[in-house]
Amino acid sequence: MAQNSDFLRGHTETIILRLLTEKDSYGYEISKNIVDSGQGLVDIKDATIYTAFRRMENDGLLATYWGDGVGGARRRYYAITEKGRRLYAEKKEEWTKLKSILDYLIIGSDKNV
Amino acid sequence: MAQNSDFLRGHTETIILRLLTEKDSYGYEISKNIVDSGQGLVDIKDATIYTAFRRMENDGLLATYWGDGVGGARRRYYAITEKGRRLYAEKKEEWTKLKSILDYLIIGSDKNV
DNA sequence: TGGAATAGATAATGATATTATGTATATAAA
DNA sequence: TTTATATACATAATATCATTATCTATTCCA
């Protein structure tokens, strides 16, 4: 198992949503994007992205359309929906709150972060 | 299902370890402790604590002994081991790193945290 | 022609948090 | 004395979601 798989739980969708707020994208690109930003600590697998996509599409967070396959196989593009944007805003809020609580619970009283 | 169960994934053990670095404790107390600090956002269930205890004891992170049951049933106390302390130190480090990466991935370029 | 990079898909597996339920003790209220 | 409540531990069953392992397909380049 990858090192920090559990830490990503519940954040995967939020991260995908955020990337899609900037522009429509497709699985492979998003996967690379995350790994590149992850500095070796965060490493979401392709398969995880695709299963997340399907889940999120079923939930109405994403809309999809086929694009062209420039330099490779066909691309399935994903766009964030209004519902997706609202959820992203909520999750973003939640993260900032949760972060301070976890800071307290994990680091403790000596807040020399 | 509870709201933020996924956010806690991978942090539960770290939180328990941290509380045990301060003093030996038992399931019920730890459970209450976490919920009280959780501000309604973090809510680790009793059963989660107990299953984590057993896992961590098997991993040699905790040692256990029976205490007295003052005002209730008997208490099983847990103490953190050296191995547990080392793991806690690692996890604490990991959290601070992960936090900044997730900040970038979730909040994005507009770092108005 | 064959390998590498790109791109998508899914079944099976695994880890862990939750739900549901059960046991047991002590104290205070009725 | 019965009952409710708080304390305390335990575990089987379930759910969720990330990973592993595979598979298919296309394009470019050597």
Side-chain angles (χ1 to χ4, degrees):
Chain A
M1 198 201 348
Q3 319 98 306
N4 291 303
S5 60
D6 286 325
F7 292 161
L8 273 309
R9 278 245 173 185
H11 298 304
T12 309
E13 295 195 3
T14 312
I15 293 170
I16 292 174
L17 287 173
R18 189 228 126 197
L19 289 171
L20 291 180
T21 58
E22 297 187 352
K23 69 175 177 63
D24 292 4
S25 189
Y26 53 97
Y28 202 79
E29 191 181 46
I30 285 187
S31 178
K32 278 216 181 305
N33 209 321
I34 293 172
V35 171
D36 289 349
S37 312
Q39 299 174 36
L41 267 177
V42 172
D43 177 28
I44 295 179
K45 296 295 172 349
D46 304 45
T48 303
I49 305 280
Y50 293 118
T51 49
F53 273 158
R54 284 185 55 211
R55 204 167 51 227
M56 292 164 84
E57 202 190 344
N58 287 336
D59 292 348
L61 305 174
L62 305 183
T64 180
Y65 57 92
W66 280 101
D68 53 337
V70 186
R74 278 195 311 169
R75 291 171 182 164
R76 182 193 279 279
Y77 279 85
Y78 287 90
I80 189 169
T81 61
E82 253 321 297
K83 190 177 174 188
R85 274 177 210 281
R86 282 198 300 274
L87 186 66
Y88 168 63
E90 278 174 41
K91 291 283 189 185
K92 188 168 143 185
E93 265 303 295
E94 228 170 55
W95 162 246
T96 54
K97 279 180 198 162
L98 200 79
K99 193 172 51 169
S100 70
I101 294 173
L102 280 182
D103 256 340
Y104 176 69
L105 287 172
I106 291 174
I107 312 281
S109 37
D110 56 308
K111 293 229 176 196
N112 55 316
V113 193
Chain B
M1 202 201 341
Q3 319 98 306
N4 290 304
S5 60
D6 285 326
F7 290 162
L8 273 307
R9 279 242 174 189
H11 298 302
T12 310
E13 295 194 4
T14 312
I15 294 170
I16 291 173
L17 286 174
R18 189 228 126 199
L19 289 171
L20 291 181
T21 57
E22 296 188 352
K23 69 174 176 67
D24 292 3
S25 189
Y26 53 97
Y28 202 79
E29 190 180 47
I30 285 187
S31 177
K32 278 216 183 304
N33 210 321
I34 293 171
V35 172
D36 289 351
S37 311
Q39 298 174 38
L41 269 177
V42 172
D43 178 25
I44 296 179
K45 297 296 175 345
D46 303 46
T48 304
I49 305 280
Y50 292 117
T51 49
F53 273 157
R54 282 184 55 208
R55 204 164 53 228
M56 295 165 82
E57 202 190 343
N58 287 336
D59 292 347
L61 305 173
L62 305 182
T64 180
Y65 57 91
W66 280 102
D68 53 336
V70 186
R74 277 194 312 169
R75 291 170 181 166
R76 182 192 280 277
Y77 278 85
Y78 287 89
I80 189 169
T81 62
E82 253 322 295
K83 190 177 175 188
R85 274 176 209 282
R86 282 197 300 274
L87 186 68
Y88 168 63
E90 279 174 39
K91 292 283 188 183
K92 187 169 144 186
E93 265 303 295
E94 229 170 53
W95 162 245
T96 56
K97 280 181 196 159
L98 197 81
K99 193 171 53 170
S100 70
I101 294 172
L102 281 182
D103 256 341
Y104 176 68
L105 287 172
I106 291 173
I107 312 283
S109 37
D110 56 308
K111 293 228 174 196
N112 55 314
V113 191

